[in-house]
mmCIF file of all heavy atoms in Angstrom:
data_model
loop_
_atom_site.group_PDB
_atom_site.id
_atom_site.type_symbol
_atom_site.label_atom_id
_atom_site.label_comp_id
_atom_site.label_asym_id
_atom_site.label_seq_id
_atom_site.Cartn_x
_atom_site.Cartn_y
_atom_site.Cartn_z
ATOM 1 N N VAL B 121 -24.576 11.793 9.118
ATOM 2 C CA VAL B 121 -25.854 12.508 9.187
ATOM 3 C C VAL B 121 -27.009 11.524 9.049
ATOM 4 O O VAL B 121 -26.944 10.598 8.239
ATOM 5 C CB VAL B 121 -25.980 13.539 8.035
ATOM 6 C CG1 VAL B 121 -27.147 14.469 8.303
ATOM 7 C CG2 VAL B 121 -24.710 14.326 7.856
ATOM 8 N N ALA B 122 -28.059 11.749 9.822
ATOM 9 C CA ALA B 122 -29.332 11.055 9.602
ATOM 10 C C ALA B 122 -30.383 12.148 9.400
ATOM 11 O O ALA B 122 -30.482 13.073 10.212
ATOM 12 C CB ALA B 122 -29.680 10.179 10.804
ATOM 13 N N ILE B 123 -31.111 12.040 8.318
ATOM 14 C CA ILE B 123 -32.066 13.098 7.969
ATOM 15 C C ILE B 123 -33.476 12.537 7.975
ATOM 16 O O ILE B 123 -33.771 11.571 7.262
ATOM 17 C CB ILE B 123 -31.741 13.672 6.572
ATOM 18 C CG1 ILE B 123 -30.360 14.309 6.595
ATOM 19 C CG2 ILE B 123 -32.796 14.694 6.162
ATOM 20 C CD1 ILE B 123 -29.889 14.753 5.232
ATOM 21 N N CYS B 124 -34.327 13.131 8.808
ATOM 22 C CA CYS B 124 -35.740 12.763 8.798
ATOM 23 C C CYS B 124 -36.460 13.852 8.010
ATOM 24 O O CYS B 124 -37.010 14.806 8.581
ATOM 25 C CB CYS B 124 -36.282 12.681 10.220
ATOM 26 S SG CYS B 124 -35.354 11.546 11.263
ATOM 27 N N ALA B 125 -36.470 13.706 6.698
ATOM 28 C CA ALA B 125 -36.960 14.773 5.837
ATOM 29 C C ALA B 125 -38.423 15.140 6.078
ATOM 30 O O ALA B 125 -38.754 16.330 6.143
ATOM 31 C CB ALA B 125 -36.721 14.404 4.375
ATOM 32 N N PRO B 126 -39.331 14.166 6.245
ATOM 33 C CA PRO B 126 -40.733 14.550 6.407
ATOM 34 C C PRO B 126 -40.954 15.462 7.622
ATOM 35 O O PRO B 126 -41.802 16.325 7.610
ATOM 36 C CB PRO B 126 -41.458 13.206 6.592
ATOM 37 C CG PRO B 126 -40.546 12.206 5.971
ATOM 38 C CD PRO B 126 -39.172 12.698 6.227
ATOM 39 N N ASN B 127 -40.142 15.224 8.659
ATOM 40 C CA ASN B 127 -40.315 15.996 9.888
ATOM 41 C C ASN B 127 -39.375 17.195 9.950
ATOM 42 O O ASN B 127 -39.329 17.893 10.961
ATOM 43 C CB ASN B 127 -40.093 15.077 11.096
ATOM 44 C CG ASN B 127 -40.859 15.539 12.312
ATOM 45 O OD1 ASN B 127 -41.823 16.288 12.189
ATOM 46 N ND2 ASN B 127 -40.420 15.106 13.477
ATOM 47 N N HIS B 128 -38.554 17.386 8.893
ATOM 48 C CA HIS B 128 -37.628 18.530 8.818
ATOM 49 C C HIS B 128 -36.580 18.498 9.930
ATOM 50 O O HIS B 128 -36.136 19.533 10.381
ATOM 51 C CB HIS B 128 -38.384 19.863 8.885
ATOM 52 C CG HIS B 128 -39.366 20.056 7.767
ATOM 53 N ND1 HIS B 128 -39.924 21.262 7.465
ATOM 54 C CD2 HIS B 128 -39.888 19.196 6.866
ATOM 55 C CE1 HIS B 128 -40.758 21.143 6.440
ATOM 56 N NE2 HIS B 128 -40.745 19.883 6.062
ATOM 57 N N VAL B 129 -36.195 17.304 10.395
ATOM 58 C CA VAL B 129 -35.230 17.204 11.497
ATOM 59 C C VAL B 129 -33.975 16.488 11.006
ATOM 60 O O VAL B 129 -34.072 15.508 10.263
ATOM 61 C CB VAL B 129 -35.835 16.428 12.685
ATOM 62 C CG1 VAL B 129 -34.779 16.122 13.735
ATOM 63 C CG2 VAL B 129 -36.969 17.237 13.304
ATOM 64 N N THR B 130 -32.822 16.978 11.381
ATOM 65 C CA THR B 130 -31.579 16.264 11.060
ATOM 66 C C THR B 130 -30.778 16.042 12.329
ATOM 67 O O THR B 130 -30.822 16.846 13.265
ATOM 68 C CB THR B 130 -30.687 17.035 10.070
ATOM 69 O OG1 THR B 130 -30.242 18.236 10.694
ATOM 70 C CG2 THR B 130 -31.414 17.353 8.781
ATOM 71 N N LEU B 131 -30.056 14.933 12.317
ATOM 72 C CA LEU B 131 -29.131 14.608 13.408
ATOM 73 C C LEU B 131 -27.754 14.460 12.781
ATOM 74 O O LEU B 131 -27.574 13.685 11.839
ATOM 75 C CB LEU B 131 -29.548 13.293 14.075
ATOM 76 C CG LEU B 131 -28.502 12.622 14.980
ATOM 77 C CD1 LEU B 131 -28.263 13.440 16.222
ATOM 78 C CD2 LEU B 131 -28.950 11.214 15.347
ATOM 79 N N GLN B 132 -26.794 15.216 13.287
ATOM 80 C CA GLN B 132 -25.443 15.144 12.722
ATOM 81 C C GLN B 132 -24.440 15.036 13.848
ATOM 82 O O GLN B 132 -24.585 15.667 14.890
ATOM 83 C CB GLN B 132 -25.156 16.389 11.883
ATOM 84 C CG GLN B 132 -23.748 16.386 11.297
ATOM 85 C CD GLN B 132 -23.538 17.474 10.269
ATOM 86 O OE1 GLN B 132 -24.396 18.343 10.096
ATOM 87 N NE2 GLN B 132 -22.399 17.441 9.595
ATOM 88 N N LEU B 133 -23.394 14.228 13.631
ATOM 89 C CA LEU B 133 -22.333 14.130 14.624
ATOM 90 C C LEU B 133 -21.201 15.068 14.232
ATOM 91 O O LEU B 133 -20.947 15.304 13.047
ATOM 92 C CB LEU B 133 -21.795 12.699 14.715
ATOM 93 C CG LEU B 133 -22.788 11.610 15.118
ATOM 94 C CD1 LEU B 133 -22.032 10.344 15.486
ATOM 95 C CD2 LEU B 133 -23.659 12.058 16.266
ATOM 96 N N ALA B 134 -20.507 15.596 15.214
ATOM 97 C CA ALA B 134 -19.370 16.477 14.959
ATOM 98 C C ALA B 134 -18.194 16.025 15.814
ATOM 99 O O ALA B 134 -18.383 15.495 16.906
ATOM 100 C CB ALA B 134 -19.731 17.925 15.287
ATOM 101 N N GLY B 135 -17.002 16.210 15.265
ATOM 102 C CA GLY B 135 -15.804 15.784 15.978
ATOM 103 C C GLY B 135 -15.000 16.970 16.475
ATOM 104 O O GLY B 135 -15.369 18.120 16.284
ATOM 105 N N ARG B 136 -13.896 16.649 17.098
ATOM 106 C CA ARG B 136 -13.040 17.681 17.652
ATOM 107 C C ARG B 136 -12.238 18.426 16.607
ATOM 108 O O ARG B 136 -12.236 19.638 16.547
ATOM 109 C CB ARG B 136 -12.049 17.051 18.640
ATOM 110 C CG ARG B 136 -12.412 17.193 20.071
ATOM 111 C CD ARG B 136 -11.401 16.433 20.894
ATOM 112 N NE ARG B 136 -11.405 15.014 20.538
ATOM 113 C CZ ARG B 136 -12.078 14.098 21.209
ATOM 114 N NH1 ARG B 136 -12.779 14.441 22.251
ATOM 115 N NH2 ARG B 136 -12.058 12.827 20.842
ATOM 116 N N GLY B 137 -11.546 17.653 15.793
ATOM 117 C CA GLY B 137 -10.472 18.224 14.984
ATOM 118 C C GLY B 137 -10.889 19.400 14.111
ATOM 119 O O GLY B 137 -10.118 20.328 13.904
ATOM 120 N N GLY B 138 -12.109 19.371 13.589
ATOM 121 C CA GLY B 138 -12.503 20.435 12.681
ATOM 122 C C GLY B 138 -11.972 20.219 11.282
ATOM 123 O O GLY B 138 -12.257 20.986 10.381
ATOM 124 N N ARG B 139 -11.167 19.156 11.089
ATOM 125 C CA ARG B 139 -10.686 18.835 9.749
ATOM 126 C C ARG B 139 -11.793 18.158 8.955
ATOM 127 O O ARG B 139 -12.680 17.534 9.518
ATOM 128 C CB ARG B 139 -9.490 17.876 9.817
ATOM 129 C CG ARG B 139 -8.172 18.593 10.003
ATOM 130 C CD ARG B 139 -7.015 17.636 9.758
ATOM 131 N NE ARG B 139 -7.244 16.304 10.278
ATOM 132 C CZ ARG B 139 -6.973 15.208 9.615
ATOM 133 N NH1 ARG B 139 -6.476 15.283 8.395
ATOM 134 N NH2 ARG B 139 -7.178 14.037 10.139
ATOM 135 N N ASN B 140 -11.761 18.274 7.645
ATOM 136 C CA ASN B 140 -12.683 17.565 6.761
ATOM 137 C C ASN B 140 -14.142 17.917 7.027
ATOM 138 O O ASN B 140 -15.032 17.120 6.775
ATOM 139 C CB ASN B 140 -12.507 16.050 6.888
ATOM 140 C CG ASN B 140 -11.196 15.600 6.296
ATOM 141 O OD1 ASN B 140 -10.680 16.255 5.390
ATOM 142 N ND2 ASN B 140 -10.647 14.519 6.804
ATOM 143 N N ASN B 141 -14.385 19.100 7.580
ATOM 144 C CA ASN B 141 -15.771 19.432 7.867
ATOM 145 C C ASN B 141 -16.571 19.688 6.596
ATOM 146 O O ASN B 141 -17.788 19.741 6.630
ATOM 147 C CB ASN B 141 -15.835 20.655 8.778
ATOM 148 C CG ASN B 141 -15.745 20.235 10.234
ATOM 149 O OD1 ASN B 141 -15.778 19.045 10.537
ATOM 150 N ND2 ASN B 141 -15.627 21.180 11.131
ATOM 151 N N ALA B 142 -15.875 19.878 5.483
ATOM 152 C CA ALA B 142 -16.585 20.096 4.228
ATOM 153 C C ALA B 142 -17.212 18.807 3.728
ATOM 154 O O ALA B 142 -17.995 18.822 2.790
ATOM 155 C CB ALA B 142 -15.628 20.652 3.185
ATOM 156 N N TYR B 143 -16.865 17.661 4.343
ATOM 157 C CA TYR B 143 -17.372 16.386 3.836
ATOM 158 C C TYR B 143 -18.236 15.721 4.893
ATOM 159 O O TYR B 143 -17.861 15.628 6.047
ATOM 160 C CB TYR B 143 -16.196 15.457 3.475
ATOM 161 C CG TYR B 143 -15.359 16.029 2.372
ATOM 162 C CD1 TYR B 143 -14.304 16.879 2.655
ATOM 163 C CD2 TYR B 143 -15.642 15.745 1.048
ATOM 164 C CE1 TYR B 143 -13.552 17.433 1.647
ATOM 165 C CE2 TYR B 143 -14.905 16.293 0.027
ATOM 166 C CZ TYR B 143 -13.861 17.135 0.331
ATOM 167 O OH TYR B 143 -13.124 17.687 -0.668
ATOM 168 N N ASP B 144 -19.426 15.294 4.522
ATOM 169 C CA ASP B 144 -20.233 14.493 5.424
ATOM 170 C C ASP B 144 -20.629 13.209 4.690
ATOM 171 O O ASP B 144 -20.164 12.941 3.583
ATOM 172 C CB ASP B 144 -21.449 15.278 5.916
ATOM 173 C CG ASP B 144 -22.290 15.794 4.756
ATOM 174 O OD1 ASP B 144 -22.312 15.134 3.719
ATOM 175 O OD2 ASP B 144 -22.904 16.866 4.896
#
Side-chain angles (χ1 to χ4, degrees):
Chain B
V121 193
I123 297 173
C124 304
N127 208 20
H128 299 195
V129 171
T130 65
L131 165 68
Q132 179 170 9
L133 299 194
R136 260 176 300 263
R139 274 192 321 135
N140 290 332
N141 273 352
Y143 297 88
D144 56 31

